[in-house]
Amino acid sequence: MKILIKDATVYDPNSRHHLDKKDILVQDGTILEIGHDLSDRKALLITSGKLCVSPGWLDIGAFNGEPGFEYREDLSSLKNAAAAGGYVRLAPLPNTIPVADNYAIIRNLLSRNSEHAVEIFAMASSTSGSKGTQLSEIYDLNQADVVAFCDGYRLEQDLGQLVRTLDYIKGINGLLVSPLLKGCIHPNGQMNEGNPSTRLGMTGMPAVEEEINAFNLLRLAEYTGCRVLAHNISVGSVAKMLTKNQSPNVHVSIPYMNVIFSDNDLMDFDVNLKVWPPLRSDEDRRALIKMINSGKIEVINSNHMPLSAEEKDLEFGHALFGATGLETCFRALLTYAPEINIEQLVNCLSQGSYNALSLAPPKVEEGEKAVLTLFDPDHEEQSVEQFHSKSMNNPFLGKALKGRVVGVINGKAQFIE
């Protein structure tokens, strides 16, 4: 199959075509030619008003419901949602039932990659059953080609266990993805602790817990020499602390909703804005944007957490935390955070995510495998009326968002209507 991408601005700092407008001819999954005024009558022609192309986007930490939570999301719907949002690759959480904590489960997950253009990079639980007490078979899992280890949320490992985990992962030159907020200071907290929580009479979750956990992770990463990704940072001071020295062993990711909204947006009790980590202060939100534009933060993730209506359509205090995000992350950032530089935004969705996982990012160069995301950031606003995800817990349903994902290419091609 041939695909001809016409007049596309290239966003790839590792390519000699970076920020140039080029035609790109793809044949049988390989970039055959990059130039001007290319033509091929047999090729599928791809155009858009302001077409752009970048290395295929990679999302870290989306929720995969298969097996165990297929009523929320199965692997097929997850990949369809990812493609609709511009993602070519996913490194989902291992918190399935059973937990992805052994060789057989990981290999079975990876064996499904031939089914779809969207490819899974596996993360495994570092402890058996994600219980935080007994280490998983780290060496066997490394042989199964996992890209990182992560136990997931609301889990408190004691510091001794965390040191042992980091030591073992360091032994295979691996990576620990660590969400920092565990909800231990106020287990029944419903939102950020601040003036809005006081006005609403809600139990708040203080920023200090994330600060303490970030300090512990940073010092123990230095002590053991293990690579870590501090995942889903929501507090501006925490992101600043973690990025201050730009250690090659420490990376930071932030959820896109925390860049768009603050706890002030919860005054109407919109349950789809009840996310984990919680929306923080507007000062935190502005600080995160500043660090994105400066290049200090290099990963923005979708924090995709699909939930059923029975789990979400409840009073605010009873609704579970989480919102879907794969399909709306890019467009919502364009619409609600226009101050983010588009070049930095694309980097946080593509190269930055690969760097955090110590993976070589795809390149927009002749002879390279075509692992590409096609998008149009200037496409007129259109209302979001449906999702490819099985779940509908998303605050942007029925709202107009700017931009358009044209499609993804990864061996197979999937274009969005």
Side-chain angles (χ1 to χ4, degrees):
M1 179 182 181
K2 288 186 178 181
I3 301 169
L4 180 57
I5 303 164
K6 292 290 290 183
D7 295 322
T9 300
V10 176
Y11 284 91
D12 182 3
N14 297 320
S15 168
R16 58 194 173 93
H17 305 291
H18 182 49
L19 301 182
D20 291 339
K21 184 176 285 189
K22 292 293 180 73
D23 297 344
I24 302 173
L25 181 63
V26 175
Q27 181 175 353
D28 299 328
T30 300
I31 299 175
L32 189 65
E33 188 175 0
I34 299 176
H36 295 288
D37 301 320
L38 301 183
S39 62
D40 193 312
R41 293 181 181 179
K42 296 181 179 179
L44 175 65
L45 186 64
I46 305 299
T47 63
S48 190
K50 188 181 178 181
L51 185 61
C52 300
V53 61
S54 77
W57 299 348
L58 165 63
D59 186 67
I60 302 171
F63 179 82
N64 168 35
E66 185 178 345
F69 297 97
E70 288 89 348
Y71 66 94
R72 295 182 184 177
E73 197 84 284
D74 59 33
L75 200 56
S76 178
S77 65
L78 177 70
K79 291 184 175 185
N80 287 335
Y87 294 98
V88 175
R89 288 167 169 165
L90 301 173
L93 294 171
N95 302 112
T96 49
I97 300 177
V99 170
D101 62 359
N102 65 67
Y103 183 97
I105 292 175
I106 295 297
R107 293 311 303 172
N108 180 66
L109 178 64
L110 295 178
S111 72
R112 303 273 304 271
N113 275 336
S114 62
E115 300 173 1
H116 200 283
V118 174
E119 183 179 2
I120 296 293
F121 285 175
M123 287 202 295
S125 177
S126 64
T127 62
S128 179
S130 289
K131 295 178 180 178
T133 55
Q134 180 179 346
L135 280 171
S136 300
E137 296 294 336
I138 301 294
Y139 292 97
D140 283 351
L141 288 165
N142 187 50
Q143 295 300 311
D145 296 326
V146 301
V147 296
F149 296 86
C150 176
D151 275 5
Y153 298 100
R154 302 186 77 91
L155 169 67
E156 185 66 13
Q157 290 189 26
D158 64 55
L159 294 183
Q161 179 63 52
L162 181 56
V163 168
R164 288 188 290 275
T165 298
L166 291 168
D167 273 335
Y168 270 83
I169 294 175
K170 169 64 166 61
I172 59 166
N173 194 29
L175 171 75
L176 178 69
V177 176
S178 179
L180 294 180
L181 186 63
K182 311 299 181 182
C184 295
I185 291 181
H186 291 306
N188 297 318
Q190 297 298 314
M191 60 183 292
N192 179 53
E193 183 179 86
N195 289 332
S197 67
T198 300
R199 294 201 303 270
L200 294 173
M202 289 283 181
T203 302
M205 290 175 279
V208 68
E209 180 177 351
E210 190 172 299
E211 292 171 349
I212 292 169
N213 290 337
F215 179 80
N216 287 340
L217 181 67
L218 180 61
R219 292 294 291 118
L220 292 179
E222 292 172 347
Y223 172 67
T224 61
C226 185
R227 294 185 297 116
V228 298
L229 169 60
H231 184 56
N232 274 358
I233 298 304
S234 62
V235 179
S237 61
V238 171
K240 184 176 181 179
M241 176 180 66
L242 291 169
T243 60
K244 183 177 181 179
N245 297 318
Q246 293 292 290
S247 167
N249 280 347
V250 179
H251 297 270
V252 174
S253 73
I254 59 174
Y256 86 105
M257 292 269 280
N258 293 73
V259 178
I260 293 172
F261 298 113
S262 72
D263 53 0
N264 290 317
D265 295 300
L266 292 173
M267 301 308 290
D268 292 332
F269 295 103
D270 183 351
V271 293
N272 289 322
L273 294 180
K274 183 181 179 181
V275 291
W276 191 272
L279 303 176
R280 298 294 188 179
S281 70
D282 197 57
E283 180 182 2
D284 288 313
R285 186 189 67 82
R286 293 195 306 270
L288 294 178
I289 289 176
K290 184 177 180 180
M291 281 185 278
I292 292 169
N293 282 333
S294 70
K296 292 183 178 179
I297 289 176
E298 60 177 356
V299 183
I300 300 175
N301 63 74
S302 73
N303 203 17
H304 182 75
M305 179 57 67
L307 297 168
S308 68
E310 290 77 13
E311 296 166 319
K312 197 64 173 175
D313 294 346
L314 303 167
E315 292 181 0
F316 193 91
H318 296 288
L320 297 188
F321 288 91
T324 63
L326 285 170
E327 296 175 73
T328 51
C329 177
F330 170 66
R331 295 178 63 202
L333 287 167
L334 287 178
T335 308
Y336 289 87
E339 62 268 47
I340 296 179
N341 176 280
I342 184 66
E343 189 175 348
Q344 292 294 344
L345 173 57
V346 174
N347 182 75
C348 286
L349 299 174
S350 55
Q351 288 94 342
S353 297
Y354 288 97
N355 291 340
L357 296 180
S358 293
L359 299 172
K363 287 185 180 180
V364 185
E365 289 282 6
E366 292 179 353
E368 296 285 338
K369 182 181 178 182
V371 182
L372 307 173
T373 296
L374 310 174
F375 58 97
D376 183 343
D378 284 357
H379 195 268
E380 64 183 13
E381 291 191 1
Q382 291 185 341
S383 179
V384 179
E385 300 299 337
Q386 61 182 5
F387 293 112
H388 293 79
S389 171
K390 281 187 173 184
S391 298
M392 304 291 284
N393 57 311
N394 187 292
F396 302 106
L397 183 63
K399 296 182 180 179
L401 296 179
K402 182 183 177 182
R404 173 185 176 226
V405 171
V406 177
V408 298
I409 302 173
N410 183 20
K412 300 180 177 68
Q414 186 160 336
F415 298 104
I416 313 304
E417 295 296 334

